[in-house]
Amino acid sequence: MSTVFNFTFVPWFRSVAPYIHLHRGKTFVVGVAGEAIAAGKLASIATDLALIQSMGVKIVLVHGFRPQVNEQLRTKGHEPRYSHGMRITDEVALDCAQEAAGQLRFEIEAAFSQGLPNTPMAGSTVRVISGNFLTARPMGIIDGVDFKSTGVVRKVDVAGITRSLDAGAMVLLSPFGFSPTGEAFNLAMEEVATSVATALQADKLIFLTEKPGIRVRPTEPEAEDNPIDTEIPLADARALLARLPAPERPTDVSFYLRHCVTACERGVERSHILPFAVDGALLLEVYVHDGIGTMVVDEKLESLREATADDVGGILMLIEPFEKDGTLVKRSRTEIERDAGNYTIVEHDGVIFACAALYPYPEARTGEMAALTVSPQSQSQGDGEKVLKRIEQRARVMGLESIFVLTTRTMHWFIKRGFTPVDPDWLPEARKRKYNWDRRSQVLVKKL
């Protein structure tokens, strides 16, 4: 192998290893939109799911079939009918849904049964189990609209799914449920995936969709200064949903977001919206630090928020040991009180475990992240990364194009997270005048 390959592969593999350990034994519910299968992405998705399962993750796969059912309906001269963003399932639509579900289940099982030749999982065996794990009830009549055989999930057979997962199988669910009397109901893939994830108390709910994720400014079009927001706290996601109109189509901003919020509210720690158009999106989201789509994260157990004057004492207690050993520049209580609004903190049960401040330099379209501190009690648990992500979000909202740090001891932590060393002359003029040449802090910059 080439020397170049060695020097790129080894650091990459080492950076991925912590995520392999983190997710081993966890349960992921993955909802794949029917559009992904229609676009010919099934083979690559199957390869990635098999690879993730081989690293110890338990997977429940829920497939959609919206375009496949619509195609069947049009073949029979029957136009698809929707209301409130949901399909109205008459007898013809129910027949088409059953045909589409059967065909797709066959294709998916076949994709996992070929030994995955010429892929990273060549020679592997992936056992797929499907069955009547869902009980459903009719949607009924809403605002005078009879949804006929469209249903909602009534009950999930948690014990049956858990037994299959514990036996090493991947569980495959179609968006179909049956009543205790044997009636069949057409369900929405998104609702099935959300219901199953919450019933299992899954560690992740992942949607592979047409949407690349939620943008920093969700109602504005794609642009360099309007990238995908890679992490949205649950409280912010709720507030965003309240501002958005009710979804009618899968491409609407709130279509998948509402299910992510529901899942997090009901105990799923993290929910994701990923683009199926990007090859390897699942791997990039699960095993790469920054991810590729949008993650909604439940922060009920700890609060990630902006500081207030009441937090000054806790911030001082947190940073004081690091000031004494020279890691941080000493800051007075008066200075922290004055700048309290610049700080982001992680608080748990009234104790501040991490903090950082953002000082913007709007004229230079950049900002300084200062006093990034994590309590020794919670180091290596991701609190520093959470604060960094929130500082990046705050900087983007301010219209800044980059953030920078000055450090003497933690250069490698920042470099691993996308920061690049620059000469002190790069600093904005106002900050350059305050630069302590005796301390010789290294300047690192990250573009947003």
Side-chain angles (χ1 to χ4, degrees), residues 307-320 333 336-337 340 350-352:
T308 68
D310 294 334
D311 300 311
V312 172
I315 294 172
L316 281 167
M317 289 180 62
L318 176 65
I319 67 177
E320 184 179 18
R333 185 181 189 95
I336 294 176
E337 285 179 346
V351 178
I352 296 175

Side-chain angles (χ1 to χ4, degrees), residues 134 153-154 156 190-200 205 266:
L134 303 174
V153 176
R154 181 179 179 182
V156 176
E190 303 80 21
E191 202 245 337
V192 170
T194 303
S195 298
V196 172
T198 56
L200 293 175
L205 168 62
R266 296 178 181 174

Side-chain angles (χ1 to χ4, degrees), residues 48-78:
D48 292 348
L49 286 172
L51 190 56
I52 292 171
Q53 189 193 44
S54 74
M55 289 186 280
V57 177
K58 301 173 183 179
I59 295 175
V60 178
L61 175 60
V62 184
H63 74 81
F65 56 12
R66 188 177 296 106
Q68 290 82 3
V69 174
N70 289 345
E71 182 181 357
Q72 293 261 14
L73 284 168
R74 293 189 179 107
T75 299
K76 296 180 179 181
H78 202 82

